[in-house]
Amino acid sequence: MMVSKNCLRFGCLAGLLLLINSPVWAQEEAGLHPATARAGRVFKIYQFTPETMPQIDGIASDWDRVPSSYTYGTTELNDTEDGHGTDIDTSDIDVTVTVGWVKGLNRLYVLYQAYDDFWDFERFNPQGYLNDIFELVVDGDLSGGPFIYNPLLPEARKWGASPAHVQNHLAFSGYHAQNYHIFTPPVRGSWTLIWGSQPWIATFPYAHRAYSYDFTQGEAGKLTLEFWITPFDYAPVEGPQQAKASQLVENKLIGLSWSVLDFDGGERDGHYNLSHDTRMVSDASYLCAFRLMPLEGDQVPDFKADWSFSLIENRERTVAFRDESVGAIESWHWDFGNGDFSTEQHPLYQYPESGVHYNVTLEITGAGKTDRKTRFWEVMIP
């Protein structure tokens, strides 16, 4: 985690170190995961391929391929603040949430679908309506701990009442985990309020969204919201130039949870959340563990050639080739682009000259099938 000049000036460094060293979200060891919310249960994030990734248009059909085991509904929620507990009347509010990812993109894709018997919006209008909210919190590197109020600045909780509140907001709030108060539906052209000092995380190219609904204030109906966001390990007030996006890789655990704030005519009817602890909104130690899952079987090709390569340090003009093909492979045939060949699965090859681009091809065979993968001009020998 990076530390800004503002943090040093406002004395927040100790608070950041407290978060970095939080034992609650220590990295996985011996097959254990660090989650505390939901008794350590691990939820799943579906992996899309680049060819099947959702188009953000408010139409949910892109998600039809996702197995139902990736979708979490109203029965998973608990109203830990307004008295309903897990006994939630689905004729009043009924929601489903599905989360996806794409290898190579540090984005989380979310499909939120909700039925409400009274949609309350226009939060800031003179009538005083409050907005129904889908509140999403993400901690992409499991750093855990408070992320809204610095525990070393107790005066920070006094909204606008002390310089400490401003200092906390500018140098701490939302830096290592992010809270999105998403308006359902959007308000005056705004789709979310970022509880933190970095509203830029909700703008393109760091986020994108689309809605579909046909109700008006006070009516019943169904809302579909599709969006993607970019989690950040470090998201400073200064902007994206100094930010560090969370790296999303297969089988990684991240911290994630959501709340549904349901207002009916200006009065809050419930605060339903996946963590079963409303402290999730400001302390990442109360988020749930979500795993970035490998591709499901229907997304994995039966037989496909693929490979990668890397230059070997301290060995002049030497390249390590790695087979990454899929299927029941019986033989490999590498064409190094200069008339030389290999039948090894993972060959190591020393090129005879430097300063040349090579077109390298791997051909695989097996079970009566053949496939090839060529990388054009990618293997360059310095």
Side-chain angles (χ1 to χ4, degrees):
M1 183 184 295
M2 300 170 61
V3 179
S4 72
K5 293 179 180 178
N6 278 342
C7 261
L8 293 175
R9 184 167 69 249
F10 292 147
C12 298
L13 179 58
L16 289 172
L17 292 176
L18 173 68
L19 299 179
I20 294 170
N21 295 313
S22 171
V24 176
W25 290 101
Q27 293 299 311
E28 285 187 276
E29 294 181 6
L32 300 176
H33 56 78
T36 56
R38 300 301 299 272
R41 176 181 172 185
V42 176
F43 296 81
K44 299 191 300 182
I45 300 176
Y46 180 81
Q47 184 179 159
F48 290 95
T49 67
E51 294 76 20
T52 62
M53 60 194 290
Q55 180 177 345
I56 304 302
D57 54 9
I59 302 173
S61 57
D62 292 344
W63 298 76
D64 289 348
R65 68 170 50 250
V66 181
S68 60
S69 60
Y70 287 85
T71 296
Y72 304 104
T74 308
T75 57
E76 293 283 0
L77 305 179
N78 191 347
D79 181 8
T80 50
E81 191 169 284
D82 295 315
H84 296 93
T86 57
D87 185 20
I88 301 170
D89 181 2
T90 54
S91 67
D92 175 35
I93 183 77
D94 195 16
V95 306
T96 60
V97 183
T98 311
V99 187
W101 75 294
V102 179
K103 186 180 294 186
L105 293 178
N106 297 320
R107 299 175 178 174
L108 293 177
Y109 289 80
V110 181
L111 173 65
Y112 175 65
Q113 294 184 293
Y115 168 82
D116 194 348
D117 68 341
F118 188 108
W119 283 101
D120 209 341
F121 51 99
E122 301 179 3
R123 180 178 184 181
F124 301 109
N125 74 8
Q127 285 74 35
Y129 296 129
L130 292 172
N131 224 84
D132 290 327
I133 298 285
F134 175 57
E135 184 174 11
L136 185 81
V137 180
V138 59
D139 178 16
D141 64 355
L142 296 176
S143 51
F147 63 91
I148 294 296
Y149 301 113
N150 188 332
L152 300 184
L153 294 174
E155 292 295 306
R157 287 182 173 271
K158 297 180 180 179
W159 282 71
S162 71
H165 175 75
V166 177
Q167 294 170 5
N168 173 86
H169 180 74
L170 295 178
F172 185 84
S173 184
Y175 268 47
H176 79 96
Q178 292 82 48
N179 179 313
Y180 299 74
H181 275 64
I182 301 171
F183 303 134
T184 52
V187 179
R188 299 185 183 183
S190 294
W191 77 286
T192 186
L193 181 151
I194 299 300
W195 193 6
S197 61
Q198 48 292 106
W200 54 267
I201 66 173
T203 62
F204 194 84
Y206 310 106
H208 190 42
R209 80 288 181 186
Y211 293 80
S212 177
Y213 64 95
D214 61 2
F215 49 79
T216 60
Q217 163 69 29
E219 291 184 340
K222 182 178 179 180
L223 175 140
T224 296
L225 165 63
E226 276 188 297
F227 65 96
W228 56 259
I229 58 171
T230 305
F232 287 91
D233 295 346
Y234 178 70
V237 65
E238 289 86 357
Q241 295 77 13
Q242 298 185 39
K244 183 178 184 298
S246 304
Q247 300 301 299
L248 303 184
V249 296
E250 201 164 277
N251 285 314
K252 179 182 180 180
L253 285 179
I254 68 171
L256 183 68
S257 190
W258 52 79
S259 292
V260 178
L261 281 69
D262 183 29
F263 293 92
D264 288 351
E267 296 293 329
R268 189 166 70 189
D269 190 44
H271 188 170
Y272 312 107
N273 69 87
L274 185 69
S275 290
H276 294 190
D277 193 318
T278 52
R279 286 175 289 184
M280 56 148 280
V281 302
S282 60
D283 190 326
S285 298
Y286 298 96
L287 298 178
C288 298
F290 274 76
R291 189 179 299 280
L292 298 162
M293 297 298 290
L295 289 172
E296 290 284 334
D298 67 333
Q299 297 241 66
V300 178
D302 293 334
F303 197 81
K304 181 181 180 181
D306 201 4
W307 56 275
S308 61
F309 71 96
S310 59
L311 299 177
I312 302 299
E313 293 184 8
N314 303 321
R315 295 201 45 186
E316 189 177 10
R317 305 185 308 280
T318 301
V319 181
F321 294 94
R322 180 171 182 80
D323 169 48
E324 296 178 352
S325 304
V326 175
I329 303 166
E330 298 171 359
S331 65
W332 297 262
H333 185 271
W334 293 85
D335 178 347
F336 296 123
N338 64 348
D340 285 350
F341 305 92
S342 173
T343 57
E344 297 179 31
Q345 182 179 5
H346 307 294
L348 195 67
Y349 181 71
Q350 184 175 39
Y351 281 90
E353 58 181 318
S354 300
V356 181
H357 294 90
Y358 292 97
N359 299 331
V360 178
T361 299
L362 168 63
E363 179 179 292
I364 59 172
T365 59
K369 299 178 181 179
T370 300
D371 196 35
R372 300 178 184 87
K373 171 70 174 186
T374 300
R375 296 187 180 277
F376 295 94
W377 287 13
E378 293 186 37
V379 180
M380 180 179 180
I381 307 305

